Amino acid sequence: MERSSNDLILKTTTNIIVFIILAFSVNSFFSGHNAPGGGFIGGLMGAGAIVLLYLAYGIGPINRVIPVNYRIVLAAGLLIAFLTGMGSFVFGVPFLSHSFGHFHLPLLGDTELATAMLFDLGVYLTVLGVTMTIILSIAEDDGDTSD
């Protein structure tokens, strides 16, 4: 039997806090190749925001709203990180060599783009996928150990 709760304050504040956490997560991701932060801490903060949604609304409703298989996110992150490292061999430079350039992008103007950001994207997705897979596996465990 599913219990019905009236957690109005929790749900209302969760909507605001999740937005703030995700904004810091994205900010940390984008500033990571030049300053402290990056894919790892950004992925942890992103996972924390999603976990907060699960705590406030429950597993069923969030799985319907965010129908993501986090194992696929994990695999995509590993693939991106691996291919970023292997891409350096294509250009005949050492493994995980870093390169960057300045480009003029519409709406953003002069922007620095770096290959380290691609690697950070792989780390971000891997950390998000691993963290969410572990937490959801624990949450969905019924505690029955008699196989």
Side-chain angles (χ1 to χ4, degrees):
M1 178 174 165
E2 185 135 348
R3 90 179 159 98
S4 175
S5 64
N6 187 10
D7 299 326
L8 181 63
I9 295 173
L10 175 63
K11 290 178 181 179
T12 303
T13 56
T14 293
N15 294 336
I16 298 167
I17 293 171
V18 163
F19 177 76
I20 293 169
I21 294 172
L22 287 176
F24 276 115
S25 172
V26 170
N27 181 42
S28 176
F29 167 72
F30 281 116
S31 66
H33 63 284
N34 286 331
F40 186 80
I41 192 63
L44 282 178
M45 287 192 304
I50 296 170
V51 167
L52 183 58
L53 285 172
Y54 276 107
L55 287 173
Y57 291 98
I59 292 178
I62 296 301
N63 282 342
R64 286 190 294 276
V65 173
I66 309 174
V68 174
N69 183 347
Y70 292 103
R71 290 183 178 145
I72 293 174
V73 173
L74 162 63
L78 284 174
L79 184 64
I80 291 170
F82 177 75
L83 291 177
T84 302
M86 298 312 284
S88 59
F89 292 137
V90 173
F91 299 104
V93 294
F95 184 66
L96 283 177
S97 292
H98 172 67
S99 179
F100 67 93
H102 291 274
F103 300 93
H104 183 77
L105 300 176
L107 299 174
L108 297 177
D110 188 37
T111 305
E112 179 187 59
L113 296 177
T115 57
M117 185 184 279
L118 289 175
F119 182 76
D120 273 347
L121 176 63
V123 172
Y124 185 97
L125 294 175
T126 301
V127 169
L128 181 74
V130 165
T131 306
M132 292 308 302
T133 299
I134 291 171
I135 290 173
L136 291 177
S137 295
I138 292 169
E140 292 173 348
D141 187 18
D142 61 359
D144 184 21
T145 59
S146 61
D147 286 331

